[in-house]
PDB file of all heavy atoms in Angstrom:
ATOM      1  N   GLU A 138      19.300  13.581  18.046  1.00 88.00           N
ATOM      2  CA  GLU A 138      18.659  14.103  19.241  1.00 88.00           C
ATOM      3  C   GLU A 138      17.127  13.979  19.160  1.00 88.00           C
ATOM      4  O   GLU A 138      16.401  14.752  19.785  1.00 88.00           O
ATOM      5  CB  GLU A 138      19.057  15.558  19.463  1.00 88.00           C
ATOM      6  CG  GLU A 138      20.563  15.758  19.589  1.00 88.00           C
ATOM      7  CD  GLU A 138      20.939  17.220  19.751  1.00 88.00           C
ATOM      8  OE1 GLU A 138      20.017  18.042  19.941  1.00 88.00           O
ATOM      9  OE2 GLU A 138      22.137  17.532  19.673  1.00 88.00           O
ATOM     10  N   ALA A 139      16.674  13.045  18.372  1.00 92.00           N
ATOM     11  CA  ALA A 139      15.233  12.898  18.141  1.00 92.00           C
ATOM     12  C   ALA A 139      14.487  12.580  19.427  1.00 92.00           C
ATOM     13  O   ALA A 139      14.969  11.846  20.293  1.00 92.00           O
ATOM     14  CB  ALA A 139      14.981  11.805  17.117  1.00 92.00           C
ATOM     15  N   ARG A 140      13.285  13.153  19.542  1.00 93.00           N
ATOM     16  CA  ARG A 140      12.383  12.838  20.650  1.00 93.00           C
ATOM     17  C   ARG A 140      11.593  11.588  20.263  1.00 93.00           C
ATOM     18  O   ARG A 140      11.124  11.464  19.125  1.00 93.00           O
ATOM     19  CB  ARG A 140      11.440  14.018  20.903  1.00 93.00           C
ATOM     20  CG  ARG A 140      10.452  13.792  22.030  1.00 93.00           C
ATOM     21  CD  ARG A 140       9.746  15.108  22.366  1.00 93.00           C
ATOM     22  NE  ARG A 140       9.036  15.643  21.216  1.00 93.00           N
ATOM     23  CZ  ARG A 140       7.780  15.348  20.922  1.00 93.00           C
ATOM     24  NH1 ARG A 140       7.094  14.496  21.675  1.00 93.00           N
ATOM     25  NH2 ARG A 140       7.191  15.899  19.868  1.00 93.00           N
ATOM     26  N   LEU A 141      11.420  10.676  21.195  1.00 94.00           N
ATOM     27  CA  LEU A 141      10.811   9.388  20.901  1.00 94.00           C
ATOM     28  C   LEU A 141       9.539   9.187  21.712  1.00 94.00           C
ATOM     29  O   LEU A 141       9.445   9.637  22.854  1.00 94.00           O
ATOM     30  CB  LEU A 141      11.783   8.239  21.222  1.00 94.00           C
ATOM     31  CG  LEU A 141      13.189   8.316  20.606  1.00 94.00           C
ATOM     32  CD1 LEU A 141      14.043   7.172  21.128  1.00 94.00           C
ATOM     33  CD2 LEU A 141      13.110   8.276  19.094  1.00 94.00           C
ATOM     34  N   ASN A 142       8.557   8.528  21.104  1.00 94.00           N
ATOM     35  CA  ASN A 142       7.419   8.007  21.858  1.00 94.00           C
ATOM     36  C   ASN A 142       6.840   6.794  21.136  1.00 94.00           C
ATOM     37  O   ASN A 142       7.092   6.585  19.937  1.00 94.00           O
ATOM     38  CB  ASN A 142       6.347   9.069  22.127  1.00 94.00           C
ATOM     39  CG  ASN A 142       5.640   9.528  20.868  1.00 94.00           C
ATOM     40  OD1 ASN A 142       5.498   8.788  19.904  1.00 94.00           O
ATOM     41  ND2 ASN A 142       5.196  10.775  20.867  1.00 94.00           N
ATOM     42  N   LYS A 143       6.113   5.992  21.875  1.00 95.00           N
ATOM     43  CA  LYS A 143       5.528   4.780  21.325  1.00 95.00           C
ATOM     44  C   LYS A 143       4.054   4.703  21.721  1.00 95.00           C
ATOM     45  O   LYS A 143       3.662   5.183  22.783  1.00 95.00           O
ATOM     46  CB  LYS A 143       6.263   3.536  21.829  1.00 95.00           C
ATOM     47  CG  LYS A 143       7.697   3.409  21.333  1.00 95.00           C
ATOM     48  CD  LYS A 143       8.343   2.134  21.843  1.00 95.00           C
ATOM     49  CE  LYS A 143       9.781   2.017  21.345  1.00 95.00           C
ATOM     50  NZ  LYS A 143      10.433   0.770  21.829  1.00 95.00           N
ATOM     51  N   LEU A 144       3.304   4.067  20.845  1.00 94.00           N
ATOM     52  CA  LEU A 144       1.871   3.890  21.082  1.00 94.00           C
ATOM     53  C   LEU A 144       1.543   2.429  20.800  1.00 94.00           C
ATOM     54  O   LEU A 144       1.797   1.933  19.699  1.00 94.00           O
ATOM     55  CB  LEU A 144       1.065   4.812  20.181  1.00 94.00           C
ATOM     56  CG  LEU A 144      -0.415   4.977  20.480  1.00 94.00           C
ATOM     57  CD1 LEU A 144      -0.590   5.787  21.755  1.00 94.00           C
ATOM     58  CD2 LEU A 144      -1.105   5.673  19.324  1.00 94.00           C
ATOM     59  N   ARG A 145       0.986   1.745  21.796  1.00 95.00           N
ATOM     60  CA  ARG A 145       0.641   0.331  21.638  1.00 95.00           C
ATOM     61  C   ARG A 145      -0.870   0.172  21.742  1.00 95.00           C
ATOM     62  O   ARG A 145      -1.491   0.622  22.702  1.00 95.00           O
ATOM     63  CB  ARG A 145       1.333  -0.496  22.714  1.00 95.00           C
ATOM     64  CG  ARG A 145       1.144  -2.008  22.565  1.00 95.00           C
ATOM     65  CD  ARG A 145       1.974  -2.748  23.603  1.00 95.00           C
ATOM     66  NE  ARG A 145       1.570  -2.390  24.967  1.00 95.00           N
ATOM     67  CZ  ARG A 145       2.287  -2.679  26.044  1.00 95.00           C
ATOM     68  NH1 ARG A 145       3.457  -3.277  25.917  1.00 95.00           N
ATOM     69  NH2 ARG A 145       1.837  -2.335  27.254  1.00 95.00           N
ATOM     70  N   THR A 146      -1.442  -0.461  20.717  1.00 94.00           N
ATOM     71  CA  THR A 146      -2.894  -0.614  20.654  1.00 94.00           C
ATOM     72  C   THR A 146      -3.246  -2.083  20.518  1.00 94.00           C
ATOM     73  O   THR A 146      -2.830  -2.750  19.566  1.00 94.00           O
ATOM     74  CB  THR A 146      -3.475   0.151  19.451  1.00 94.00           C
ATOM     75  OG1 THR A 146      -3.101   1.526  19.534  1.00 94.00           O
ATOM     76  CG2 THR A 146      -4.984   0.048  19.422  1.00 94.00           C
ATOM     77  N   GLY A 147      -4.000  -2.588  21.482  1.00 95.00           N
ATOM     78  CA  GLY A 147      -4.522  -3.952  21.406  1.00 95.00           C
ATOM     79  C   GLY A 147      -6.028  -3.912  21.225  1.00 95.00           C
ATOM     80  O   GLY A 147      -6.728  -3.185  21.932  1.00 95.00           O
ATOM     81  N   ASN A 148      -6.532  -4.668  20.256  1.00 93.00           N
ATOM     82  CA  ASN A 148      -7.964  -4.641  19.959  1.00 93.00           C
ATOM     83  C   ASN A 148      -8.477  -6.074  19.859  1.00 93.00           C
ATOM     84  O   ASN A 148      -8.000  -6.853  19.026  1.00 93.00           O
ATOM     85  CB  ASN A 148      -8.211  -3.895  18.639  1.00 93.00           C
ATOM     86  CG  ASN A 148      -9.670  -3.484  18.485  1.00 93.00           C
ATOM     87  OD1 ASN A 148     -10.486  -3.723  19.366  1.00 93.00           O
ATOM     88  ND2 ASN A 148      -9.994  -2.863  17.363  1.00 93.00           N
ATOM     89  N   ALA A 149      -9.413  -6.430  20.730  1.00 95.00           N
ATOM     90  CA  ALA A 149     -10.053  -7.747  20.704  1.00 95.00           C
ATOM     91  C   ALA A 149     -11.531  -7.563  20.376  1.00 95.00           C
ATOM     92  O   ALA A 149     -12.224  -6.762  21.022  1.00 95.00           O
ATOM     93  CB  ALA A 149      -9.883  -8.449  22.043  1.00 95.00           C
ATOM     94  N   MET A 150     -12.019  -8.289  19.346  1.00 95.00           N
ATOM     95  CA  MET A 150     -13.402  -8.139  18.895  1.00 95.00           C
ATOM     96  C   MET A 150     -14.039  -9.515  18.768  1.00 95.00           C
ATOM     97  O   MET A 150     -13.456 -10.418  18.150  1.00 95.00           O
ATOM     98  CB  MET A 150     -13.439  -7.425  17.541  1.00 95.00           C
ATOM     99  CG  MET A 150     -12.834  -6.041  17.545  1.00 95.00           C
ATOM    100  SD  MET A 150     -12.744  -5.302  15.886  1.00 95.00           S
ATOM    101  CE  MET A 150     -11.434  -6.294  15.151  1.00 95.00           C
ATOM    102  N   VAL A 151     -15.226  -9.678  19.343  1.00 96.00           N
ATOM    103  CA  VAL A 151     -15.983 -10.924  19.241  1.00 96.00           C
ATOM    104  C   VAL A 151     -17.388 -10.568  18.757  1.00 96.00           C
ATOM    105  O   VAL A 151     -18.070  -9.725  19.364  1.00 96.00           O
ATOM    106  CB  VAL A 151     -16.056 -11.669  20.589  1.00 96.00           C
ATOM    107  CG1 VAL A 151     -16.880 -12.944  20.436  1.00 96.00           C
ATOM    108  CG2 VAL A 151     -14.649 -12.005  21.086  1.00 96.00           C
ATOM    109  N   TYR A 152     -17.822 -11.208  17.666  1.00 96.00           N
ATOM    110  CA  TYR A 152     -19.139 -10.948  17.092  1.00 96.00           C
ATOM    111  C   TYR A 152     -19.938 -12.252  17.057  1.00 96.00           C
ATOM    112  O   TYR A 152     -19.419 -13.296  16.639  1.00 96.00           O
ATOM    113  CB  TYR A 152     -19.034 -10.410  15.663  1.00 96.00           C
ATOM    114  CG  TYR A 152     -18.297  -9.098  15.543  1.00 96.00           C
ATOM    115  CD1 TYR A 152     -16.918  -9.065  15.372  1.00 96.00           C
ATOM    116  CD2 TYR A 152     -18.979  -7.885  15.592  1.00 96.00           C
ATOM    117  CE1 TYR A 152     -16.242  -7.870  15.255  1.00 96.00           C
ATOM    118  CE2 TYR A 152     -18.313  -6.680  15.468  1.00 96.00           C
ATOM    119  CZ  TYR A 152     -16.945  -6.678  15.309  1.00 96.00           C
ATOM    120  OH  TYR A 152     -16.265  -5.487  15.195  1.00 96.00           O
ATOM    121  N   SER A 153     -21.214 -12.178  17.469  1.00 97.00           N
ATOM    122  CA  SER A 153     -22.122 -13.322  17.409  1.00 97.00           C
ATOM    123  C   SER A 153     -23.409 -12.882  16.720  1.00 97.00           C
ATOM    124  O   SER A 153     -23.976 -11.828  17.064  1.00 97.00           O
ATOM    125  CB  SER A 153     -22.433 -13.859  18.807  1.00 97.00           C
ATOM    126  OG  SER A 153     -21.254 -14.310  19.440  1.00 97.00           O
ATOM    127  N   ILE A 154     -23.869 -13.680  15.761  1.00 97.00           N
ATOM    128  CA  ILE A 154     -25.071 -13.347  14.999  1.00 97.00           C
ATOM    129  C   ILE A 154     -25.971 -14.576  14.933  1.00 97.00           C
ATOM    130  O   ILE A 154     -25.533 -15.657  14.539  1.00 97.00           O
ATOM    131  CB  ILE A 154     -24.729 -12.897  13.562  1.00 97.00           C
ATOM    132  CG1 ILE A 154     -23.776 -11.701  13.576  1.00 97.00           C
ATOM    133  CG2 ILE A 154     -25.998 -12.555  12.792  1.00 97.00           C
ATOM    134  CD1 ILE A 154     -23.266 -11.333  12.195  1.00 97.00           C
TER     135      ILE A 154
END
Side-chain angles (χ1 to χ4, degrees):
E138 302 178 9
R140 180 170 59 89
L141 308 175
N142 68 30
K143 293 182 180 180
L144 192 71
R145 185 175 61 194
T146 303
N148 197 2
M150 300 174 288
V151 179
Y152 299 88
S153 298
I154 303 172

